[in-house]
Amino acid sequence: MTGPESEGPVLRRAVCPGSFDPVTNGHLDIIARASKLYDVVHVAVMINKSKKGIFSVEERLDLIRGVTAEYGNVEVEAFHGLLVDFCKQRDIPAIVKGLRAVSDFDYELQMAQMNHGLSGVETLFVPTNPTYSFLSSSLVKEVAAWGGDVSHLVPGPVLEALTERLAER
Ligand code: PNS
């Protein structure tokens, strides 16, 4: 599809939002799959000031940028505010989310309906790879904090950062 000459081609954009504290192989799987479906995938690290993370927002951005660099069409940034405002400001019509299990569906459906009602932005659900259906950033942090092996659940640079951060504590 091509727009007016001065505007260049119309790019199909989607956003993969999250806290990403830290990014896991489950997140990466969804981002990689979205990057094949859309021209540009925006990864939005949503800032929630009431949730203190193990990694700062800057650290999360660096880790995600490092592990998504190979895709070539992924843009990573932080945002403080409503996801629909992030979408509006960048002309993004679609949110892509992974669904791990039925238990995710209830809250995800509420958010999807709220976001659509607020702005018309659509949410598309991608079934998580079953290998990662139990995986969450919280569980990774908990298992790693108790010395469990999470090397198969997070990308190498995240494992290094996590090991270093936990050793400081
Ligand atoms: O990785 P998470 O913490 O499960 O991601 C949840 C997130 C950040 C996608 C969600 O809380 C969100 O969209 N927050 C931004 C604020 C917002 O738009 N809230 C209204 C949601 S209907």
Side-chain angles (χ1 to χ4, degrees):
M1 214 182 350
T2 338
E5 230 165 77
S6 56
E7 289 171 20
V10 175
L11 298 175
R12 286 175 310 162
R13 297 174 183 275
V15 60
C16 291
S19 306
F20 302 108
D21 184 45
V23 65
T24 67
N25 286 345
H27 293 128
L28 211 47
D29 176 54
I30 299 299
I31 296 166
R33 288 158 70 188
S35 81
K36 290 187 189 145
L37 298 171
Y38 290 90
D39 298 315
V40 183
V41 171
H42 297 256
V43 175
V45 176
M46 302 305 290
I47 300 171
N48 180 347
K49 289 199 168 140
S50 64
K51 260 200 204 169
K52 177 146 176 42
I54 189 169
F55 293 108
S56 70
V57 170
E58 280 310 317
E59 288 170 329
R60 294 179 217 180
L61 291 172
D62 285 348
L63 286 169
I64 304 168
R65 285 190 182 120
V67 298
T68 59
E70 66 184 276
Y71 303 128
N73 64 341
V74 173
E75 292 181 9
V76 186
E77 57 186 312
F79 191 74
H80 185 231
L82 286 176
L83 180 56
V84 291
D85 289 333
F86 179 92
C87 294
K88 213 180 294 172
Q89 289 167 18
R90 291 156 186 80
D91 250 334
I92 300 172
I95 299 164
V96 174
K97 288 274 193 90
L99 268 191
R100 288 168 295 191
V102 176
S103 49
D104 275 346
F105 187 69
D106 193 30
Y107 188 47
E108 289 296 341
L109 183 64
Q110 288 175 33
M111 287 198 285
Q113 289 171 329
M114 175 63 85
N115 286 329
H116 187 262
L118 285 171
S119 69
V121 70
E122 299 287 0
T123 298
L124 289 100
F125 293 116
V126 175
T128 296
N129 183 323
T131 316
Y132 305 127
S133 61
F134 58 90
L135 181 53
S136 69
S137 300
S138 316
L139 277 184
V140 163
K141 286 181 280 190
E142 185 174 341
V143 171
W146 289 103
D149 180 13
V150 293
S151 58
H152 55 304
L153 303 177
V154 292
V158 173
L159 183 67
E160 273 172 41
L162 198 53
T163 309
E164 204 173 297
R165 182 55 41 89
L166 291 169
E168 290 163 5
R169 297 190 155 193

